[in-house]
Amino acid sequence: MAFKHVNAVIVGAGAGGGVAAKELAAGGLSVVLLERGKWYSAADCRKDDLRNQRTSPLGNNSGPDEARNPRVVVDLNGQERVVLPSEGGYSNNAGCVGGGTLTYGAQAWRFQEKDFRMATTYGVPEGSTLSDWPISYAELEPYYEKAEYEIGVSGDVSTDPFHGPRRKPLPMPPLPVGREHTILKPAAQRLGLHPFDIPMLRNSVPYGGRPPCMQCRWCVGFVCEVNAKCGTQNTSIPAALATGNCELRTGCMAREVLTDARGRATGVAYYDADDRLCEQTADIVIVSSAAVESARLLLNSKSQMYPAGLGNRYGWVGRNFQGHSYSGAWGLFDFETYDDIGPGASIAVCDYNHGNPGLIGGAMLANEFIRLPYQFVSVAPPGVAQWGRGHKDFMRQWYRRSIAIQGPTQEIPIADSRVEVDAKVKDFWGLPVARLSGGKHPKTMETSAAMTDKAEAWLKAAGAIRTWKKLSGKGTSGGQHQAGTCRMGDDPRVSVVDKYCRVHDHDNLYVIDGSVHVTNGGFNPALTIMAIAYYAAERIVKGRKGRGV
Amino acid sequence: MDHLKINSWRRRRFLRIAGTATACGVLTSCARENSPWRFLTTAEGRTLDAICEQIIPTDQTPGAAWAGVVNFIDRQLMGPYRRQQTAYRSGLREIDQAAVSKFGKDFAALDTGQQTALLQALEGGAKRFFSTVIAHTMQGYYGDPRHGGNRDAVSWRMLGVPVIPIRGRNRYEFPKQGAR
């Protein structure tokens, strides 16, 4: 089935694709936005502890479809297994309109200036592919601001001395603070740290025609019941559709990016909601399917001219797969810390993102999102019984008297942490599935260990009577922070896209999502993905202007 | 039988309405025995119930048995846990066999001390199966009651978590005016 030719086809309606669709449509381009999942609304919210994007023993709440989308995961011992989206190791983000932004925790971080210059700041450790970004914080700053104002961010970073220069304050004040915040703030100050209110893509006051957060406990992992969480599904994508220039097609699974005899992208072949093979031709093709699926789509777009897939002449597609090395500590208190007020995560310090002696990078440290009872089960410290009376006593005694501090430790990218396509396993549509393998650089683990010390010290200063550390595993992280697989760079031999997200060798094929991140900062990456989408889309629109689109 | 060639959810619903008398002639699983469960046999249900109660025992608050964890697991075995059906069938048999060979009785008939000792001594495949049951019991006991466990939100009450979600927390007083 073929459709009317359009200016741009975008594969994936998440943080990157949703923003790009809006910018292009508003700039006068005709856009088709393909999304493999469904479009959920606030009314689809199910506050289900066992079936959500964060805790999924009974499945996900916003995709992708469990039965149709397996992956192959190779562990550190070389053992490989087929995993489903709700299972551990899958690195699931989401499969729905809005992508991860529908259910995320919504922390809205700008990376710091040094996060764009990691190789210059620290040198390149052996065995790593650490590199600077081809763009700087300053170049991205206006687009961070645009994301903060158009999508909507609340918080207060005025007491964080480490953030890069910014022209405007955040558009919304922070949410009222909870009990953990009031416990942790003076402790941080006593330690000489600089605590502040986490910037969040979440309404604290009515904004963008949507109400403020009602601070319930079902936050990260869930669709927001009152539509206060700001994602592309309730901001940029409706705005794109309102221009009249954008068509959103859901239930559409991309098969490959099509190219002509000269190597130009001509469109996308995909399976529609009824599993019919369709073709959408376009002047520009934008891949925005998140780090795993974007790499997979490029690798699956094989032709005589590109036997190893698109953008992969030097074998860089799928490499440098990274998320964050999440590490921190738990503390138990002899007084109640639980107040049943969401979203929970509220206070952060950026004192440890850089400047840790002998270490590379670091992490923003923050208190953890409010935990549901089932999530607390796996928290138990060493020595506590896994079952029986000891387990029940632990739950009863400490559920309301505990705090977790964690941080997304910046990973040092390595070439062998990668996404490939599997030679044998196919998905429902017969497409080779993503194959994830590799691990973390030893330097990443060193920094992570240091972050657990810092988190523990903060908890102790706050009065914790018992603390224990939680160190990230050595395997690939990926997950909802997945990034790096189509790295941005000036040199086509060691990167996949140029500084404007355009795939080297193809002047009309773009990757706009976390895949292009050279490094992933010590921060949740969503706002950076949005900022890059604004930045890259602006360039596309400007480039088309001269040609009378 | 055209009326049964509708999707499985509607079929199950139809059967519930039509009553098991007609259904038994159609579905062999129903004809097997008169088990109250969907997947488990009556005996398996009894054994599993005793294991779950060991994992989260009754003390001053109800344990896994009262909370309906077996109902939760049985329901999931016909849904998201489908791939673990065989593990349950053989795992429960193995634990009962161990109980018979060690104490001469089925697991459920042992006293609490004997049950605890037996579970603590499990090895190999039986031990792995027991870890699976621990994980599932935690889900059934602490998870959302809509899945058939955590009856009356008993675990949430135990932990002091409000059972009815509290609404209307939007407070419009802000400690800070705007953000820099």
Side-chain angles (χ1 to χ4, degrees), chain A residues 7 20 70 117 142 256 288 377 435 456 511:
Chain A
N7 294 138
R117 292 184 281 114
E256 62 185 307
S288 300
V377 169
R435 176 187 172 90
E456 194 173 35
V511 178

Side-chain angles (χ1 to χ4, degrees), chain A residues 44-337:
Chain A
D44 292 311
C45 169
R46 295 284 177 278
K47 296 181 165 188
D48 190 333
D49 308 36
L50 301 178
R51 195 170 181 281
N52 59 75
Q53 288 314 94
R54 187 166 240 209
T55 314
S56 54
L58 301 186
N60 301 310
N61 61 7
S62 50
D65 184 88
E66 190 79 358
R68 294 184 165 200
N69 297 279
R71 280 178 188 164
V72 172
V73 172
V74 186
D75 69 17
L76 287 170
N77 303 319
Q79 293 280 2
E80 58 183 78
R81 62 200 164 93
V82 176
V83 295
L84 304 183
S86 68
E87 294 176 329
Y90 186 88
S91 262
N92 189 26
N93 189 358
C96 62
V97 175
T101 72
L102 177 71
T103 55
Y104 60 1
Q107 296 193 31
W109 295 102
R110 294 179 173 204
F111 288 0
Q112 293 178 350
E113 292 171 295
K114 280 182 184 164
D115 293 330
F116 296 89
R117 292 184 281 114
M118 289 295 285
T120 303
T121 308
Y122 296 101
V124 181
E126 206 184 322
S128 87
T129 50
L130 191 64
S131 172
D132 289 352
W133 288 54
I135 55 173
S136 66
Y137 171 82
E139 281 170 87
L140 213 49
E141 201 281 335
Y143 306 96
Y144 271 129
E145 183 185 294
K146 198 168 179 187
E148 286 165 350
Y149 277 76
E150 286 201 2
I151 318 271
V153 175
S154 62
D156 181 1
V157 297
S158 61
T159 56
D160 168 29
F162 303 101
H163 66 72
R166 49 183 305 141
R167 295 174 303 173
K168 279 195 196 174
L170 294 171
M172 286 181 270
L175 282 165
V177 301
R179 201 176 288 162
E180 289 192 5
H181 190 115
T182 49
I183 295 165
L184 292 171
K185 190 176 178 180
Q189 285 165 335
R190 279 198 299 280
L191 291 172
L193 305 175
H194 301 80
F196 60 98
D197 300 86
I198 299 176
M200 300 261 194
L201 285 141
R202 179 180 290 104
N203 286 0
S204 60
V205 291
Y207 193 85
R210 289 175 293 105
C213 168
M214 64 169 187
Q215 300 200 267
C216 78
R217 71 170 176 268
W218 288 269
C219 192
V220 60
F222 299 90
V223 181
C224 177
E225 183 184 356
V226 294
N227 212 14
K229 198 144 61 175
C230 315
T232 55
Q233 81 286 346
N234 57 14
T235 54
S236 356
I237 292 170
L241 299 178
T243 64
N245 292 335
C246 177
E247 186 195 340
L248 170 65
R249 291 184 201 146
T250 56
C252 295
M253 180 68 190
R255 175 194 158 97
E256 62 185 307
V257 175
L258 304 165
T259 46
D260 65 15
R262 289 178 303 144
R264 275 179 67 86
T266 56
V268 171
Y270 67 93
Y271 295 96
D272 73 3
D274 298 317
D275 305 316
R276 290 172 300 197
L277 186 59
C278 302
E279 209 176 294
Q280 177 61 59
T281 60
D283 301 335
I284 295 171
V285 174
I286 299 175
V287 177
S288 300
S289 314
V292 176
E293 294 295 317
S294 285
R296 177 186 173 211
L297 182 58
L298 293 182
L299 293 172
N300 272 339
S301 301
K302 291 188 169 92
S303 59
Q304 244 176 353
M305 204 165 164
Y306 302 101
L310 298 177
N312 200 29
R313 193 195 319 181
Y314 296 97
W316 277 75
V317 172
R319 292 196 183 271
N320 306 310
F321 179 46
Q322 59 193 295
H324 284 113
S325 178
Y326 252 93
S327 296
W330 279 91
L332 303 180
F333 293 77
D334 57 6
F335 51 88
E336 291 219 339
T337 57

Side-chain angles (χ1 to χ4, degrees), chain A residues 259-260 262-266 283-285 306 498 500-510 539-540 544 547:
Chain A
T259 46
D260 65 15
R262 289 178 303 144
R264 275 179 67 86
T266 56
D283 301 335
I284 295 171
V285 174
Y306 302 101
D498 69 12
Y500 302 109
C501 297
R502 189 161 59 179
V503 177
H504 299 304
D505 292 355
H506 301 273
D507 65 0
N508 66 340
L509 174 60
Y510 293 78
R539 166 103 181 170
I540 293 171
R544 305 266 320 172
R547 300 205 262 150

Side-chain angles (χ1 to χ4, degrees), chain A residues 337-478:
Chain A
T337 57
Y338 185 85
D339 54 8
D340 200 46
I341 289 180
S346 133
I347 185 168
V349 300
C350 290
D351 295 72
Y352 303 121
N353 278 76
H354 293 283
N356 301 298
L359 300 173
I360 299 179
M364 166 279 297
L365 293 181
N367 68 322
E368 183 50 37
F369 282 91
I370 190 167
R371 53 212 153 270
L372 302 169
Y374 171 64
Q375 292 167 334
F376 195 66
V377 169
S378 54
V379 163
V384 168
Q386 294 295 301
W387 56 281
R389 209 160 278 259
H391 153 78
K392 202 176 174 192
D393 284 341
F394 174 79
M395 293 292 289
R396 192 159 34 209
Q397 197 168 355
W398 301 114
Y399 178 74
R400 295 177 64 95
R401 296 179 185 85
S402 53
I403 297 180
I405 290 176
Q406 285 199 78
T409 304
Q410 174 146 201
E411 290 199 12
I412 308 308
I414 56 173
D416 285 341
S417 176
R418 67 190 291 200
V419 176
E420 297 166 277
V421 286
D422 197 78
K424 294 187 292 285
V425 182
K426 308 271 199 295
D427 68 8
F428 170 83
W429 300 271
L431 308 171
V433 304
R435 176 187 172 90
L436 314 180
S437 62
K440 297 194 180 92
H441 193 276
K443 278 283 181 191
T444 302
M445 295 310 295
E446 255 178 54
T447 310
S448 304
M451 293 303 111
T452 66
D453 294 341
K454 308 293 185 195
E456 194 173 35
W458 188 1
L459 289 165
K460 282 188 172 143
I465 51 173
R466 179 172 181 194
T467 55
W468 66 99
K469 296 171 188 177
K470 193 179 150 285
L471 182 64
S472 163
K474 288 182 186 165
T476 51
S477 53

